[in-house]
Amino acid sequence: MKRLAALVLCTLAFGAACGSTSSDPAATVNGKTISTHDLVEELNAIEANGDFINSLQSGSPTGGLTVVGATPGSFDAAFVAQVLLRQMDYTLIHAEITKRHVVIDDACRVEARNDAMLNLGQQNATTGEQLFNKFPKPYQEVLIQRNADVIALEGALTGQKCGQGVDAAGYYNSHPDDFTKLCISVIAVSDQATADTVLARARGGADFAALAREVSIDTTTKDNGGDIGCRLPSEFNPTVAQVLQAGKTGEVLDPIPGTSGISIVKITDRQVASLDEVRSQAEELASSTAGQSFGAWLRQARAEAQVTIDKRYGTFDAATFQINPPALDVNSGSSPPSSSSSDTP
């Protein structure tokens, strides 16, 4: 394997003398050092996996990342900045794992490895494993450890445990409103004046089903008295779901504007769905909540982080938590990496 060492780093640093700077940290995050050695070792591991580089460079319909630099034996400066940025994120994450005394056991590592295969293969575990196996063994361990830290922290933030999969039952039991079906009837009208009239009649004691048959413009429900059945909150637009959940059973709600008219809604019943009936939704919501909690934590951790960057790799923008790489590889057409990118391991 062609080793990427000081020569490449000198190329990235405008040919500056390496002897005086090669031992300097690539970055520090809250006083924790990310060594130049660790950055170079990760680049070496990536360089050893040509299939992975190809997957990155052809990873989207419009073309993927620019990985290889214009100078032979080098990486694109923006890609190096991105790799370093991800190392900074994982430094923050590992520090939080340590602070919380989160234990990463064998079951957690198995889950982390399986999840890494899916991520590398873009949800194809077979492809992911093929790419994973082409990395050097030490780097495979790095990828597993990083992923275990992420999954374990997601769990710690939401009361779940890494290695046990998504806790659908726990989420179901702690979020009953998400799994209480809302049974409603709807009268659809075309304008606000009609909506106000219908609302007044419905609240004045008129039979809702009879009103729906009389005035509703929704041909799919009017013959059924406006009854659309019972649905989970997740089946409605989130804004509408909040309105419905806040209403009382038997109540006729204020008119709700939509893209094709205005709806007058009556909540006729509520029915709690069984866990077996909604297990897949519970798993999805639990996973989504964990991701959202982790994302919120990471944004806050980044905002509070004290960071320094070796100028060879660019300048750090604390406001966006990005590294703006030096304009070294003039033929690469690189742009600064996104702080939310997940294209590198």
Side-chain angles (χ1 to χ4, degrees):
M1 180 183 73
K2 177 175 60 178
R3 301 299 291 175
L4 301 178
L7 175 63
V8 171
L9 294 181
C10 278
T11 300
L12 293 173
F14 291 95
C18 288
S20 62
T21 59
S22 60
S23 63
D24 291 347
T28 62
V29 182
N30 294 335
K32 298 184 182 298
T33 295
I34 299 172
S35 70
T36 298
H37 176 269
D38 287 344
L39 176 59
V40 172
E41 283 300 297
E42 181 154 12
L43 293 172
N44 285 337
I46 293 170
E47 191 228 12
N49 194 337
D51 288 346
F52 177 66
I53 291 176
N54 290 337
S55 74
L56 291 180
Q57 295 196 139
S58 60
S60 73
T62 57
L65 294 172
T66 300
V67 177
V68 178
T71 303
S74 71
F75 280 95
D76 178 77
F79 180 74
V80 174
Q82 187 182 55
V83 171
L84 181 56
L85 189 72
R86 302 307 292 166
Q87 289 188 349
M88 290 160 54
D89 275 343
Y90 287 119
T91 298
L92 289 171
I93 293 163
H94 188 72
E96 187 69 13
I97 286 290
T98 302
K99 174 184 174 182
R100 290 171 176 261
H101 305 290
V102 177
V103 176
I104 295 178
D105 57 18
D106 289 343
C108 182
R109 287 180 60 81
V110 170
E111 181 180 349
R113 187 185 190 282
N114 292 338
D115 192 63
M117 301 304 105
L118 289 173
N119 290 338
L120 283 170
Q122 299 182 40
Q123 302 309 302
N124 185 316
T126 300
T127 300
E129 186 162 18
Q130 291 170 349
L131 290 172
F132 180 83
N133 289 337
K134 293 180 179 180
F135 285 122
K137 293 293 183 182
Y139 190 59
Q140 292 177 7
E141 290 302 311
V142 169
L143 295 182
I144 293 172
Q145 183 60 51
R146 286 176 173 177
N147 215 34
D149 282 352
V150 171
I151 296 173
L153 183 53
E154 285 182 347
L157 292 168
T158 55
Q160 301 187 54
K161 180 173 172 55
C162 179
Q164 295 184 353
V166 178
D167 185 8
Y171 188 90
Y172 172 87
N173 291 328
S174 60
H175 297 81
D177 288 347
D178 288 344
F179 306 105
T180 299
K181 293 182 178 181
L182 299 160
C183 308
I184 64 174
S185 292
V186 177
I187 300 173
V189 297
S190 59
D191 59 84
Q192 188 63 49
T194 304
D196 292 340
T197 299
V198 171
L199 179 66
R201 293 176 63 186
R203 287 179 173 175
D207 182 84
F208 196 90
L211 273 175
R213 295 186 184 97
E214 176 187 343
V215 302
S216 181
I217 60 174
D218 183 357
T219 57
T220 62
T221 62
K222 67 177 298 179
D223 291 341
N224 199 32
D227 184 10
I228 70 167
C230 304
R231 302 180 183 179
L232 291 170
S234 59
E235 297 179 62
F236 296 98
N237 173 287
T239 302
V240 173
Q242 289 181 357
V243 173
L244 296 179
Q245 287 178 304
K248 298 177 180 178
T249 301
E251 181 181 5
V252 179
L253 306 180
D254 290 339
I256 301 174
T259 57
S260 58
I262 301 172
S263 297
I264 298 90
V265 177
K266 181 176 182 178
I267 301 174
T268 58
D269 196 9
R270 282 177 162 83
Q271 298 176 0
V272 179
S274 69
L275 176 57
D276 287 342
E277 186 180 357
V278 296
R279 185 175 297 276
S280 62
Q281 292 97 322
E283 289 178 351
E284 183 177 344
L285 287 169
S287 182
S288 174
T289 298
Q292 291 170 6
S293 297
F294 174 80
W297 171 85
L298 184 58
R299 286 190 294 274
Q300 185 65 31
R302 286 171 168 176
E304 296 174 352
Q306 299 297 312
V307 174
T308 63
I309 297 290
D310 188 312
K311 64 181 180 181
R312 290 177 294 173
Y313 310 118
T315 57
F316 179 66
D317 184 346
T320 60
F321 206 83
Q322 290 185 4
I323 299 173
N324 299 314
L328 304 175
D329 237 342
V330 294
N331 297 322
S332 71
S334 300
S335 59
S338 166
S339 62
S340 62
S341 173
S342 59
D343 291 322
T344 52

